[in-house]
PDB file of all heavy atoms in Angstrom:
ATOM      1  N   GLN B  45      34.933  -5.319  34.989  1.00 93.00           N
ATOM      2  CA  GLN B  45      36.183  -5.973  34.608  1.00 93.00           C
ATOM      3  C   GLN B  45      36.893  -5.096  33.586  1.00 93.00           C
ATOM      4  O   GLN B  45      36.285  -4.646  32.615  1.00 93.00           O
ATOM      5  CB  GLN B  45      35.877  -7.352  34.012  1.00 93.00           C
ATOM      6  CG  GLN B  45      37.091  -8.131  33.553  1.00 93.00           C
ATOM      7  CD  GLN B  45      36.719  -9.446  32.901  1.00 93.00           C
ATOM      8  OE1 GLN B  45      35.555  -9.799  32.786  1.00 93.00           O
ATOM      9  NE2 GLN B  45      37.719 -10.198  32.475  1.00 93.00           N
ATOM     10  N   LEU B  46      38.178  -4.868  33.786  1.00 93.00           N
ATOM     11  CA  LEU B  46      38.934  -4.028  32.873  1.00 93.00           C
ATOM     12  C   LEU B  46      39.108  -4.708  31.518  1.00 93.00           C
ATOM     13  O   LEU B  46      39.585  -5.839  31.432  1.00 93.00           O
ATOM     14  CB  LEU B  46      40.302  -3.716  33.474  1.00 93.00           C
ATOM     15  CG  LEU B  46      41.218  -2.813  32.647  1.00 93.00           C
ATOM     16  CD1 LEU B  46      40.637  -1.396  32.565  1.00 93.00           C
ATOM     17  CD2 LEU B  46      42.620  -2.763  33.265  1.00 93.00           C
ATOM     18  N   LEU B  47      38.700  -4.001  30.459  1.00 95.00           N
ATOM     19  CA  LEU B  47      38.881  -4.489  29.089  1.00 95.00           C
ATOM     20  C   LEU B  47      40.218  -4.037  28.523  1.00 95.00           C
ATOM     21  O   LEU B  47      40.953  -4.823  27.931  1.00 95.00           O
ATOM     22  CB  LEU B  47      37.776  -3.942  28.181  1.00 95.00           C
ATOM     23  CG  LEU B  47      36.527  -4.746  27.932  1.00 95.00           C
ATOM     24  CD1 LEU B  47      35.636  -3.976  26.967  1.00 95.00           C
ATOM     25  CD2 LEU B  47      36.829  -6.127  27.406  1.00 95.00           C
ATOM     26  N   LEU B  48      40.476  -2.754  28.657  1.00 94.00           N
ATOM     27  CA  LEU B  48      41.717  -2.190  28.144  1.00 94.00           C
ATOM     28  C   LEU B  48      41.928  -0.803  28.734  1.00 94.00           C
ATOM     29  O   LEU B  48      41.006  -0.225  29.325  1.00 94.00           O
ATOM     30  CB  LEU B  48      41.695  -2.129  26.613  1.00 94.00           C
ATOM     31  CG  LEU B  48      40.472  -1.529  25.907  1.00 94.00           C
ATOM     32  CD1 LEU B  48      40.476  -0.020  25.969  1.00 94.00           C
ATOM     33  CD2 LEU B  48      40.408  -1.996  24.464  1.00 94.00           C
ATOM     34  N   LYS B  49      43.149  -0.311  28.547  1.00 93.00           N
ATOM     35  CA  LYS B  49      43.478   1.002  29.080  1.00 93.00           C
ATOM     36  C   LYS B  49      44.458   1.709  28.164  1.00 93.00           C
ATOM     37  O   LYS B  49      45.294   1.074  27.501  1.00 93.00           O
ATOM     38  CB  LYS B  49      44.077   0.894  30.490  1.00 93.00           C
ATOM     39  CG  LYS B  49      45.357   0.065  30.574  1.00 93.00           C
ATOM     40  CD  LYS B  49      45.805  -0.061  32.015  1.00 93.00           C
ATOM     41  CE  LYS B  49      47.139  -0.799  32.137  1.00 93.00           C
ATOM     42  NZ  LYS B  49      47.009  -2.237  31.902  1.00 93.00           N
ATOM     43  N   TYR B  50      44.338   3.039  28.130  1.00 93.00           N
ATOM     44  CA  TYR B  50      45.321   3.872  27.472  1.00 93.00           C
ATOM     45  C   TYR B  50      46.019   4.695  28.532  1.00 93.00           C
ATOM     46  O   TYR B  50      45.385   5.471  29.249  1.00 93.00           O
ATOM     47  CB  TYR B  50      44.676   4.800  26.430  1.00 93.00           C
ATOM     48  CG  TYR B  50      45.682   5.804  25.925  1.00 93.00           C
ATOM     49  CD1 TYR B  50      46.643   5.436  24.981  1.00 93.00           C
ATOM     50  CD2 TYR B  50      45.725   7.102  26.433  1.00 93.00           C
ATOM     51  CE1 TYR B  50      47.590   6.333  24.551  1.00 93.00           C
ATOM     52  CE2 TYR B  50      46.678   8.007  26.004  1.00 93.00           C
ATOM     53  CZ  TYR B  50      47.612   7.618  25.066  1.00 93.00           C
ATOM     54  OH  TYR B  50      48.576   8.500  24.640  1.00 93.00           O
ATOM     55  N   LEU B  51      47.337   4.521  28.620  1.00 89.00           N
ATOM     56  CA  LEU B  51      48.130   5.299  29.580  1.00 89.00           C
ATOM     57  C   LEU B  51      49.053   6.259  28.843  1.00 89.00           C
ATOM     58  O   LEU B  51      49.170   7.440  29.206  1.00 89.00           O
ATOM     59  CB  LEU B  51      48.942   4.362  30.489  1.00 89.00           C
ATOM     60  CG  LEU B  51      48.121   3.337  31.292  1.00 89.00           C
ATOM     61  CD1 LEU B  51      49.032   2.482  32.156  1.00 89.00           C
ATOM     62  CD2 LEU B  51      47.077   4.034  32.154  1.00 89.00           C
ATOM     63  N   SER B  52      49.729   5.754  27.820  1.00 86.00           N
ATOM     64  CA  SER B  52      50.632   6.570  27.015  1.00 86.00           C
ATOM     65  C   SER B  52      51.066   5.731  25.832  1.00 86.00           C
ATOM     66  O   SER B  52      50.712   4.562  25.713  1.00 86.00           O
ATOM     67  CB  SER B  52      51.851   7.024  27.832  1.00 86.00           C
ATOM     68  OG  SER B  52      52.629   5.899  28.208  1.00 86.00           O
ATOM     69  N   GLY B  53      51.848   6.339  24.927  1.00 87.00           N
ATOM     70  CA  GLY B  53      52.399   5.577  23.824  1.00 87.00           C
ATOM     71  C   GLY B  53      51.416   5.443  22.681  1.00 87.00           C
ATOM     72  O   GLY B  53      50.683   6.373  22.352  1.00 87.00           O
ATOM     73  N   SER B  54      51.391   4.271  22.083  1.00 89.00           N
ATOM     74  CA  SER B  54      50.557   4.038  20.913  1.00 89.00           C
ATOM     75  C   SER B  54      49.103   4.367  21.208  1.00 89.00           C
ATOM     76  O   SER B  54      48.556   3.971  22.244  1.00 89.00           O
ATOM     77  CB  SER B  54      50.664   2.581  20.464  1.00 89.00           C
ATOM     78  OG  SER B  54      49.734   2.305  19.434  1.00 89.00           O
ATOM     79  N   THR B  55      48.480   5.048  20.275  1.00 90.00           N
ATOM     80  CA  THR B  55      47.083   5.460  20.494  1.00 90.00           C
ATOM     81  C   THR B  55      46.103   4.328  20.260  1.00 90.00           C
ATOM     82  O   THR B  55      44.935   4.438  20.625  1.00 90.00           O
ATOM     83  CB  THR B  55      46.719   6.635  19.583  1.00 90.00           C
ATOM     84  OG1 THR B  55      46.959   6.243  18.214  1.00 90.00           O
ATOM     85  CG2 THR B  55      47.559   7.859  19.911  1.00 90.00           C
ATOM     86  N   LEU B  56      46.550   3.253  19.642  1.00 95.00           N
ATOM     87  CA  LEU B  56      45.692   2.088  19.446  1.00 95.00           C
ATOM     88  C   LEU B  56      46.051   1.053  20.509  1.00 95.00           C
ATOM     89  O   LEU B  56      47.173   0.564  20.561  1.00 95.00           O
ATOM     90  CB  LEU B  56      45.888   1.508  18.045  1.00 95.00           C
ATOM     91  CG  LEU B  56      45.008   0.304  17.695  1.00 95.00           C
ATOM     92  CD1 LEU B  56      43.532   0.710  17.677  1.00 95.00           C
ATOM     93  CD2 LEU B  56      45.418  -0.293  16.350  1.00 95.00           C
ATOM     94  N   VAL B  57      45.087   0.765  21.337  1.00 96.00           N
ATOM     95  CA  VAL B  57      45.351  -0.190  22.418  1.00 96.00           C
ATOM     96  C   VAL B  57      44.469  -1.418  22.240  1.00 96.00           C
ATOM     97  O   VAL B  57      43.307  -1.309  21.839  1.00 96.00           O
ATOM     98  CB  VAL B  57      45.101   0.432  23.803  1.00 96.00           C
ATOM     99  CG1 VAL B  57      46.140   1.489  24.097  1.00 96.00           C
ATOM    100  CG2 VAL B  57      43.727   1.003  23.932  1.00 96.00           C
ATOM    101  N   LYS B  58      45.041  -2.549  22.523  1.00 95.00           N
ATOM    102  CA  LYS B  58      44.306  -3.816  22.397  1.00 95.00           C
ATOM    103  C   LYS B  58      44.031  -4.363  23.783  1.00 95.00           C
ATOM    104  O   LYS B  58      44.863  -4.248  24.695  1.00 95.00           O
ATOM    105  CB  LYS B  58      45.107  -4.803  21.572  1.00 95.00           C
ATOM    106  CG  LYS B  58      45.293  -4.354  20.125  1.00 95.00           C
ATOM    107  CD  LYS B  58      45.932  -5.418  19.275  1.00 95.00           C
ATOM    108  CE  LYS B  58      46.148  -4.935  17.843  1.00 95.00           C
ATOM    109  NZ  LYS B  58      44.885  -4.605  17.161  1.00 95.00           N
ATOM    110  N   GLY B  59      42.837  -4.956  23.914  1.00 94.00           N
ATOM    111  CA  GLY B  59      42.455  -5.481  25.204  1.00 94.00           C
ATOM    112  C   GLY B  59      42.075  -6.942  25.133  1.00 94.00           C
ATOM    113  O   GLY B  59      42.404  -7.633  24.183  1.00 94.00           O
ATOM    114  N   ILE B  60      41.338  -7.370  26.136  1.00 93.00           N
ATOM    115  CA  ILE B  60      40.926  -8.764  26.177  1.00 93.00           C
ATOM    116  C   ILE B  60      39.711  -8.993  25.278  1.00 93.00           C
ATOM    117  O   ILE B  60      39.044  -8.036  24.870  1.00 93.00           O
ATOM    118  CB  ILE B  60      40.601  -9.193  27.619  1.00 93.00           C
ATOM    119  CG1 ILE B  60      39.432  -8.376  28.186  1.00 93.00           C
ATOM    120  CG2 ILE B  60      41.830  -9.067  28.505  1.00 93.00           C
ATOM    121  CD1 ILE B  60      38.928  -8.875  29.524  1.00 93.00           C
TER     122      ILE B  60
END
Side-chain angles (χ1 to χ4, degrees):
Chain B
Q45 179 183 0
L46 181 67
L47 266 182
L48 49 77
K49 60 184 184 286
Y50 171 78
L51 302 180
S52 65
S54 173
T55 57
L56 182 64
V57 291
K58 295 187 182 298
I60 62 172

